Amino acid sequence: MVGVAGRSKGCNTCRRRRVKCDEAKPQCYRCIKAGFECLGYERATQWRHTSVTPLPTSQLHMPEFMGLAQPIPMSFAPAQGLNLVAFEGDMCTAHMFGNFIWKSYGTLWLDRAAEGKLGILSLDAVKALARLNFGLCNRVQDLQLQGAALYGKCLRVLAEELGKDGSAVHDNRTLVVPILVLMMVSTIQADRTAAFFHLKAIAKVLMLCGPEAFQQQPLRNAFEAARATLLVPSLFSKRRTFLEEPYWQDVPYALDPSAKPEQSQLLDIFVTIPGFLEESGRINNMTHLRDDLIDPSLVFNEQLSLRADLCRNVASQLEKLYRWRWSWQRKFGQYVTINKHEWQGSPSPKASSFTSNPGDVGHLQFSRPVYADDITLYNAALMWLMTLIWKLQPFQAASIIRGCARCAASSSTSPCYSPPLSSHNISFEPLSWPGAALSIREPAIEICRIYDWQCRHHEQHGSFGDQTCMYLFPMGMARAVLDPDPDYRKWIDSMLDLNPITAGYGRGGGSIVGFSSFVTKCALDADVRDSEEIV
């Protein structure tokens, strides 16, 4: 078909002459009659990409093409019908999970709540926390208002749920998750009144549901977070907590006892301390209705007897803590090493402050953040128990602490208790061995040495999926002991200020949960005093 590009079947000669071909083969008769050479019917394949075919140079300068040659301005702003409102929720949630303390505290349950897998109330609580936190950090008032509105909505729904009869609350065991999140909201708002009511709500849900309700993940991790959250105000108020009962410690892990993490075992010891504080306060404030008829010496003797009984209970927990430390060292001790490079760019611990390994003062190294978290929490519990023993029995405290260390060592599978330990198969270096010090200063310094590693490896907390419910609590206790020393205070501040999330923690006076009020001079200077007595 002549005249239609790509459709003609004529010979190549007729196509060039633009005449109709009779299509005779092997040569067309029209070419033969006209005396032309028939070039046949084979077509040469030609490949063209018309989108890149250059225009003739002369055409580029023609008026109609001049506009095409000019650069077109481009805008990277969102299209008129598209803005960032659709992504606000994702940005706020991502910013919330960028807080490594919250992420570690809410391991498993906070992620599930953000995904909407633990109910609408939990999801709305996470949205309230995310928007309010992002708004406060970036000074975006609209997001602050959105977060506050969602927070109010969650409070109304939560009040309705808690107002139902006990069986209904028991069935809704996931209520503990939104309450924990709302507790976090009240923390960033510095609303102590709201925090107090959230604490009461957490305790109510736990008691109504019972420990059996938290045997499966992610609610088991939520239970551990709730237990740690309730512990702190109990220490501050010096009031016994129901969580010290053994079944609250054992039942959540009854289905899989081997799944109980090391920090949960430490919390089992920690939850007994508020009861000790309450009992100590009761002994100190003993009153009688008819003081004039009672011999003061009888009251004094009764107080001594009660203090001795209480001290035995505290010593029992200290021995249990030392046994935990031996067990931990057998399982994880090889994952702690030391880098003996010189301390640069920040103050360093004083070698003379260490009684066990004065030559090993250097940067500690841990293969996983959870190992560092374990030992800092252990030292925090050690400081509390040692402080109580020095408070209750100042003249016998040294022998009591040594006795606990000996019993813990002998009851373990390790060789008999011996300070050097260099000839045995278990070595505690570069950390302190149980019973190495009588003063609370050394565990406080060890907490700071460990935090020196933690503050430079915050990003690893989200990599292993380990839960840490009391991340900064040990540092607060260490600060309460070491703050009077300007060198240590400068060292602690320099480590905390490395990250904006931890910057300024504990600065400005005061002490964590009133710990300083129990610290005596004997507890601080016990090692110096002991060495002088030996000399």
Side-chain angles (χ1 to χ4, degrees):
M1 187 173 173
V2 180
V4 181
R7 299 289 300 276
S8 174
K9 297 181 180 180
C11 70
N12 292 325
T13 304
C14 291
R15 291 185 65 197
R16 288 183 180 181
R17 294 175 59 205
R18 297 182 179 273
V19 296
K20 183 177 178 63
C21 180
D22 58 11
E23 300 181 7
K25 298 179 180 179
Q27 294 179 334
C28 73
Y29 296 126
R30 184 159 190 160
C31 288
I32 295 174
K33 289 181 180 179
F36 291 95
E37 179 185 4
C38 183
L39 298 177
Y41 299 90
E42 292 184 5
R43 304 283 192 262
T45 304
Q46 295 183 359
W47 299 97
R48 292 184 179 180
H49 195 317
T50 58
S51 63
V52 296
T53 301
L55 292 171
T57 304
S58 60
Q59 291 186 0
L60 291 175
H61 299 281
M62 296 176 65
E64 58 268 28
F65 289 99
M66 290 301 292
L68 299 176
Q70 299 298 321
I72 300 176
M74 300 184 65
S75 173
F76 294 95
Q80 189 173 1
L82 178 66
N83 55 47
L84 296 179
V85 173
F87 306 102
E88 275 184 359
D90 293 335
M91 289 190 299
C92 294
T93 303
H95 184 266
M96 178 189 70
F97 280 109
N99 186 319
F100 62 90
I101 296 179
W102 288 353
K103 184 173 178 61
S104 180
Y105 173 79
T107 299
L108 291 183
W109 58 267
L110 189 59
D111 302 75
R112 301 282 180 85
E115 295 169 358
K117 295 181 179 179
L118 296 179
I120 298 298
L121 181 56
S122 296
L123 178 60
D124 286 343
V126 170
K127 289 180 179 178
L129 174 63
R131 282 166 169 76
L132 192 58
N133 178 60
F134 189 93
L136 289 172
C137 292
N138 297 279
R139 300 180 180 180
V140 183
Q141 190 171 8
D142 287 345
L143 290 177
Q144 294 181 44
L145 294 174
Q146 291 180 31
L150 277 171
Y151 178 59
K153 173 186 174 183
C154 292
L155 290 179
R156 291 190 294 273
V157 175
L158 181 61
E160 293 176 2
E161 293 292 332
L162 293 176
K164 297 178 180 178
D165 58 83
S167 59
V169 177
H170 177 274
D171 294 336
N172 196 1
R173 63 192 69 180
T174 57
L175 276 179
V176 69
V177 172
I179 301 174
L180 285 171
V181 178
L182 296 178
M183 179 74 190
M184 296 161 71
V185 174
S186 65
T187 300
I188 64 175
Q189 288 183 318
D191 188 344
R192 293 188 177 184
T193 302
F196 173 76
F197 285 106
H198 294 324
L199 288 170
K200 291 183 64 176
I202 293 172
K204 179 178 180 179
V205 171
L206 292 186
M207 287 188 288
L208 287 174
C209 294
E212 302 85 359
F214 305 100
Q215 293 179 331
Q216 302 288 344
Q217 294 288 25
L219 293 184
R220 193 167 64 198
N221 273 15
F223 167 75
E224 290 292 356
R227 191 160 68 133
T229 301
L230 292 174
L231 170 62
V232 174
S234 297
L235 289 169
F236 184 79
S237 63
K238 306 176 185 63
R239 297 288 298 274
R240 189 183 305 274
T241 172
F242 65 93
L243 295 169
E244 70 175 2
E245 297 297 332
Y247 67 93
W248 280 102
Q249 303 171 14
D250 301 331
V251 173
Y253 294 92
L255 300 180
D256 187 9
S258 62
K260 188 166 187 173
E262 299 295 325
Q263 290 181 54
S264 179
Q265 298 174 37
L266 290 173
L267 283 177
D268 292 347
I269 298 173
F270 242 120
V271 293
T272 65
I273 296 176
F276 296 151
L277 299 179
E278 181 179 345
E279 184 65 16
S280 176
R282 189 184 67 81
I283 294 172
N284 293 334
N285 297 320
M286 286 180 62
T287 57
H288 299 275
L289 294 177
R290 301 178 65 184
D291 293 337
D292 55 329
L293 301 178
I294 298 176
D295 187 351
S297 63
L298 295 178
V299 177
F300 179 74
N301 291 334
E302 183 180 359
Q303 287 180 317
L304 288 180
S305 176
L306 292 173
R307 285 195 181 99
D309 292 340
L310 178 58
C311 191
R312 279 191 288 271
N313 293 334
V314 176
S316 175
Q317 292 298 319
L318 179 60
E319 182 182 334
K320 181 179 178 180
L321 182 66
Y322 281 151
R323 287 199 302 269
W324 175 92
R325 183 66 182 85
W326 277 93
S327 174
W328 190 95
Q329 191 67 24
R330 286 195 298 271
K331 291 184 286 187
F332 309 112
Q334 68 270 27
Y335 302 118
V336 186
T337 58
I338 190 167
N339 182 352
K340 294 190 177 181
H341 292 168
E342 293 185 3
W343 296 75
Q344 298 178 355
S346 65
S348 63
K350 303 172 183 178
S352 60
S353 300
F354 294 88
T355 60
S356 56
N357 301 308
D360 285 341
V361 179
H363 288 289
L364 294 173
Q365 305 287 333
F366 295 85
S367 59
R368 285 178 66 169
V370 69
Y371 301 145
D373 300 336
D374 291 345
I375 300 302
T376 55
L377 192 58
Y378 156 79
N379 279 298
L382 180 61
M383 291 170 66
W384 265 112
L385 296 175
M386 291 175 64
T387 297
L388 282 172
I389 291 175
W390 280 107
K391 184 84 169 177
L392 295 168
Q393 299 286 337
F395 298 105
Q396 293 82 30
S399 60
I400 292 172
I401 294 171
R402 289 195 185 99
C404 292
R406 279 194 297 270
C407 291
S410 61
S411 64
S412 66
T413 57
S414 64
C416 293
Y417 172 79
S418 176
L421 286 176
S422 58
S423 61
H424 305 313
N425 58 346
I426 295 181
S427 173
F428 285 86
E429 295 182 358
L431 301 173
S432 299
W433 43 271
L438 300 176
S439 167
I440 62 173
R441 285 176 61 85
E442 182 161 340
I445 294 172
E446 187 165 270
I447 288 173
C448 294
R449 294 181 66 206
I450 295 171
Y451 191 78
D452 167 71
W453 181 87
Q454 290 176 307
C455 70
R456 291 180 284 109
H457 298 84
H458 288 318
E459 72 284 351
Q460 292 188 16
H461 269 83
S463 304
F464 295 94
D466 299 312
Q467 186 179 28
T468 300
C469 298
M470 303 181 75
Y471 181 77
L472 288 176
F473 180 85
M475 274 300 289
M477 292 188 59
R479 180 188 277 276
V481 172
L482 301 175
D483 232 21
D485 188 318
D487 292 333
Y488 281 115
R489 183 168 62 248
K490 183 178 179 182
W491 181 34
I492 293 171
D493 287 339
S494 66
M495 292 188 293
L496 289 170
D497 291 345
L498 286 176
N499 192 289
I501 295 175
T502 60
Y505 176 73
R507 189 180 298 162
S511 67
I512 182 103
V513 296
F515 176 68
S516 296
S517 62
F518 288 89
V519 176
T520 62
K521 192 174 187 303
C522 294
L524 288 172
D525 303 329
D527 292 312
V528 176
R529 179 182 173 184
D530 186 61
S531 62
E532 290 175 351
E533 291 177 355
I534 293 174
V535 174

